[in-house]
Amino acid sequence: MSEQLKVGIVGGTGMVGQRLVQLLDGHPWFNVTAIAASSSSAGKTYEESVQGRWKLATPMPNHVKNIVVQDASKVEEVAAGVDFIFCAVDMKKNEIQALEEDYAKTGTPVISNNSAHRWTPDVPMVIPEINPGHIKVIDAQRKRLGTSTGFIAVKPNCSIQSYVPALHALLQFKPTNVVASTYQAISGAGKNFTDWPDMLDNVIPYIGGEEEKSEQEPLRIWGSVKDGEIVKAAGPLITTQCIRVPVTDGHLATVFVSFENKPSQEEIIRLWREFQGRPQELGLPSAPKQFITYFEEENRPQTKLDRDIENGMGVSVGRLREDSLYDYKFVGLSHNTLRGAAGGAVLIAELLKAEGYIQAK
C-alpha cells in the first residue's frame, strides 16, 4: 500500500483505546492522526490525558504522545481529519448509537468496539475468519443512513471468541446443543488489579449481561444476509455461565457439545488445525497464520502461557475428549483485549480495506 490511511480513535483514553494506540503503532496500512475523548480530556495532549492511567505493560508510543485530544462529540471536526475511526467510548447505549451514526453520516466508516449496534439489523457484527460475507449488508445500511462511504461495523463480545471459532470449524456436523462456561479476565471490565483490588484472590460468578450475549451473539454471527438485514441462525441451542477470575488478560472457556452427525475425534482435530478464513487468504497484516491451535498436552491451553499465541490473535483449543452426557467436551482460550477487542477491530478494518469498503477520503 503506497499511502497509509488516516485513523481516528474515538474513546482513545480508555483501556481498549490504549490497546488500539499500541496495536496501530507501526501498522503498515493505518496511521493514527486523531484521538478523541470526553470534553474533560479535550485540549490536552494524549500523554497528559492518560497521565497515571496508562494500563498496558508496554510504553506509550512516542508518535501519539503530543497528539492533542479532541472532543468526541464534535463529530464534524474529528471526522474532517481522518479516513475512518475506531470507536471505543464509555457511554449509554442510545448515546453510543447516535454518536456512531453521526460519524457514519459524515461519510466516515466506523469500526466499533462497543455493543450498542450489535443487534442493529443492517450493521455487520464480524469475526473476519467466520462471517466476512456479512459486510455486504453495509450497502443497505448506507442507503438508510444517506451516505455513500460511511457505515458502522462492530466486533462481537470478547468471550465468545474463545469457543465460537472452534465450533464454527465443525458446523458441517451440525452442532445441536452447546454448554459453555467462560472464565474471564479483569481487563474485560477495563480494569487491572490496581483498579480492582477486590479481585485479588477472588472469583465473582456474575458478569452483567454477559450470558445473554454469549448465548445469542454466536447465532447472529452464524446468520445470513437477507433483504439488507442479518437474520440470526436458528441454532444450535447455547447455554452459558460467565465468571470473572483473577487473571489480567485472557478468556478461557469450557465447552460441551452434541452434534446431529457426530464426527470422530481425529476429524475434529484435523479440521481445527486446517481451518483458514478470509484474513488468511488475503494475508491481512494482523491475521494469525494459524487461526486455531490444538494442544495435545492434557494441561493446555493455559491462560498465562497461551493467550499471546500468534501475537494474541490466535485461538487455542485443547482437552478434546468424549463426554458421558454430550458428544464431546473441550477447552478454548483467546486473548480478550487483542483477538476479542482492539486486535479484532483492527482485523475487521483490514478486511474492510482489502474488500474496498474503506478508502482514503
Side-chain angles (χ1 to χ4, degrees):
M1 180 175 169
S2 58
E3 184 180 353
Q4 289 186 314
L5 295 177
K6 295 179 288 186
V7 178
I9 302 175
V10 176
T13 58
M15 179 174 276
V16 174
Q18 292 177 23
R19 182 67 83 176
L20 283 164
V21 164
Q22 177 202 50
L23 290 175
L24 293 169
D25 184 32
H27 193 283
W29 293 3
F30 307 143
N31 181 39
V32 177
T33 59
I35 299 174
S38 66
S39 57
S40 62
S41 294
K44 300 176 183 177
T45 66
Y46 186 64
E47 185 174 33
E48 291 170 341
S49 70
V50 296
Q51 187 71 39
R53 297 189 295 123
W54 183 255
K55 297 179 183 291
L56 305 183
T58 54
M60 182 187 300
N62 286 326
H63 84 279
V64 300
K65 289 182 177 179
N66 293 320
I67 291 179
V68 176
V69 177
Q70 297 175 264
D71 187 335
S73 67
K74 296 182 178 179
V75 172
E76 295 282 351
E77 291 181 17
V78 177
V82 298
D83 295 313
F84 74 97
I85 67 164
F86 292 100
C87 189
V89 294
D90 184 11
M91 299 164 61
K92 294 178 180 177
K93 179 178 178 178
N94 64 321
E95 294 172 342
I96 295 172
Q97 289 175 329
L99 183 71
E100 292 181 344
E101 289 199 356
D102 285 345
Y103 273 99
K105 287 174 181 177
T106 69
T108 305
V110 177
I111 313 303
S112 178
N113 273 271
N114 306 302
S115 63
H117 274 294
R118 287 182 189 159
W119 288 94
T120 302
D122 59 10
V123 171
M125 180 173 69
V126 181
I127 297 177
E129 286 89 350
I130 293 177
N131 62 331
H134 283 196
I135 63 176
K136 64 186 178 183
V137 79
I138 287 170
D139 297 333
Q141 183 194 147
R142 282 173 167 167
K143 290 179 182 177
R144 174 175 64 86
L145 296 176
T147 174
S148 61
T149 56
F151 63 85
I152 303 162
V154 302
K155 59 155 241 21
N157 191 44
C158 53
S159 66
I160 71 172
Q161 306 197 45
S162 58
Y163 58 91
V164 165
L167 294 172
H168 181 77
L170 309 175
L171 284 187
Q172 63 185 282
F173 301 109
K174 300 181 180 179
T176 56
N177 294 286
V178 176
V179 177
S181 293
T182 56
Y183 302 86
Q184 301 185 203
I186 63 173
S187 57
K191 298 180 184 294
N192 56 30
F193 287 114
T194 301
D195 302 327
W196 202 357
D198 289 348
M199 275 306 303
L200 286 167
D201 193 32
N202 195 21
V203 169
I204 298 177
Y206 173 73
I207 304 172
E210 199 78 357
E211 289 164 2
E212 181 181 3
K213 296 174 188 176
S214 299
E215 293 167 358
Q216 293 300 314
E217 288 187 17
L219 302 181
R220 190 166 198 258
I221 288 167
W222 287 323
S224 57
V225 178
K226 183 177 181 181
D227 298 327
E229 296 185 352
I230 306 295
V231 180
K232 76 174 186 177
L237 180 64
I238 303 172
T239 184
T240 66
Q241 290 197 99
C242 300
I243 299 167
R244 190 72 71 190
V245 295
V247 167
T248 53
D249 296 304
H251 289 352
L252 184 142
T254 58
V255 183
F256 299 79
V257 56
S258 289
F259 298 92
E260 187 174 316
N261 303 307
K262 183 180 177 181
S264 70
Q265 201 162 338
E266 292 73 23
E267 284 178 302
I268 292 173
I269 294 172
R270 177 181 59 80
L271 288 168
W272 282 343
R273 287 176 167 161
E274 292 179 354
F275 184 82
Q276 298 277 298
R278 188 68 174 146
Q280 287 73 37
E281 293 172 8
L282 294 170
L284 299 179
S286 298
K289 289 183 172 59
Q290 183 70 36
F291 181 38
I292 301 173
T293 295
Y294 181 76
F295 286 100
E296 299 282 357
E297 297 92 334
E298 291 183 344
N299 63 346
R300 303 283 287 277
Q302 292 181 27
T303 301
K304 189 173 183 178
L305 292 179
D306 303 312
R307 61 191 169 200
D308 292 318
I309 197 164
E310 293 280 354
N311 297 314
M313 293 298 288
V315 175
S316 302
V317 186
R319 299 206 70 208
L320 176 68
R321 58 227 191 269
E322 292 193 78
D323 183 64
S324 57
L325 293 177
Y326 292 78
D327 287 334
Y328 289 102
K329 51 191 172 187
F330 64 88
V331 174
L333 173 69
S334 61
H335 196 302
N336 58 297
T337 68
L338 290 171
R339 165 56 70 168
V346 172
L347 189 60
I348 292 169
E350 292 170 357
L351 173 68
L352 290 163
K353 164 67 181 72
E355 302 287 14
Y357 285 88
I358 297 178
Q359 301 175 359
K361 287 184 177 176

